[in-house]
């Protein structure tokens, strides 16, 4: 089997538990994904809000974005797709200069593109939420690629972090997780390469078969098992 030489997930879990003060404390730290039925209840505006928040948090203090977030909601019609998709180009430029939000034209202009992506999913699925809810977990990198290809500024970890925030079962290639995968020889190429993504997905699928846990939980446990986060 391809991953017979990989550290067994039980060993990773035990190390994470030791670093976090025991299994009970570790379990309390883990966020679990939503069920498929729960994901299907999410409305389009909340997906667009989540994507927009993560786009703006990239390279900017997350706390600064959160503090101003009520202003974003107000300025962008609570991220309702229909009114946003009707706005002309010049209005988007005006909104990007509004002092109540973080003024960043290219990030603001990601909103109509991502609104269109969410809306367009309805041509192939009952809704964007249904598409995401039924996306196979063993190919979650395919959903990452979908967001990168069809959306705007959703490449790298921006798309995956948005999905995790919304309750989607996805692993995250954080610096700690990536470092672990490199240390055990899973990733040996550039982080964003197709080869690295596929190798990471295979490893998580393998650990999921071993543990029966969600890929989101596995990702968090790996991060807790290494890196600089040992302090409780």
């Amino acid at each position: 089997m391809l991953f017979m030489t990989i550290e067994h997930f039980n060993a990773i879990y035990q190390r994470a538990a030791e670093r976090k003060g025991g299994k009970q404390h570790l379990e309390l730290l883990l966020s679990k994904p939503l069920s498929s039925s729960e994901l299907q209840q999410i409305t389009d505006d909340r997906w667009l809000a989540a994507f927009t928040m993560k786009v703006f948090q990239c390279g900017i203090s997350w706390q600064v974005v959160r503090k101003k977030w009520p202003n974003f909601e107000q300025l962008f019609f609570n991220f309702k797709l229909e009114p946003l998709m009707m706005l002309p180009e010049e209005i988007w430029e005006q909104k990007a200069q509004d002092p109540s939000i973080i003024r960043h034209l290219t990030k603001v202009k990601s909103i109509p593109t991502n609104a269109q992506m969410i809306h367009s999913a309805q041509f192939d699925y009952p809704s964007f939420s249904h598409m995401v809810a039924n996306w196979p977990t063993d190919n979650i990198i395919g959903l990452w690629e979908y967001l990168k290809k069809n959306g705007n500024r959703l490449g790298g970890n921006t798309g995956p972090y948005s999905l995790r925030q919304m309750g989607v079962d996805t692993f995250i290639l954080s610096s700690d997780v990536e470092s672990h995968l490199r240390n055990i020889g899973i990733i040996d190429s550039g982080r964003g390469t197709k080869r690295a993504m596929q190798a990471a997905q295979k490893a998580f699928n393998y650990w999921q078969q071993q543990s029966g846990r969600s890929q989101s939980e596995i990702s968090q446990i790996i991060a807790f098992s290494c890196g600089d986060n040992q302090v409780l």
Side-chain angles (χ1 to χ4, degrees), residues 51-169:
F51 291 141
T52 304
M53 177 179 285
K54 282 293 176 281
V55 165
F56 271 88
Q57 286 177 332
C58 185
I60 301 175
S61 167
W62 288 26
Q63 292 302 322
V64 170
V65 177
R66 288 195 178 102
K67 184 177 181 180
K68 286 182 171 286
W69 196 249
N71 299 333
F72 279 84
E73 292 278 356
Q74 181 176 12
L75 186 64
F76 297 113
F77 312 126
N78 292 313
F79 293 97
K80 299 295 183 183
L81 267 59
E82 289 76 10
L84 290 174
M85 291 170 61
M86 295 175 62
L87 294 179
E89 180 75 16
E90 59 270 20
I91 298 300
W92 285 106
E93 294 180 359
Q94 291 177 19
K95 286 182 177 295
Q97 296 301 315
D98 193 302
S100 70
I101 65 168
I102 297 169
R103 290 176 285 187
H104 195 300
L105 179 59
T106 57
K107 289 187 177 185
V108 166
K109 292 179 74 172
S110 74
I111 298 174
T113 302
N114 292 332
Q116 184 61 54
M117 173 190 68
I118 294 168
H119 176 74
S120 296
Q122 299 175 12
F123 295 118
D124 298 310
Y125 303 89
S127 69
F128 184 81
S129 286
H130 278 74
M131 181 190 75
V132 173
N134 291 285
W135 199 283
T137 305
D138 62 1
N139 183 35
I140 199 65
I141 61 171
L143 182 54
W144 297 2
E145 182 62 26
Y146 181 94
L147 297 181
K148 179 180 178 181
K149 179 180 179 180
N150 296 284
N152 184 267
R153 303 181 75 94
L154 295 179
N157 270 338
T158 305
Y161 270 118
S162 301
L163 295 174
R164 171 74 67 79
Q165 176 182 309
M166 296 299 286
V168 177
D169 185 11

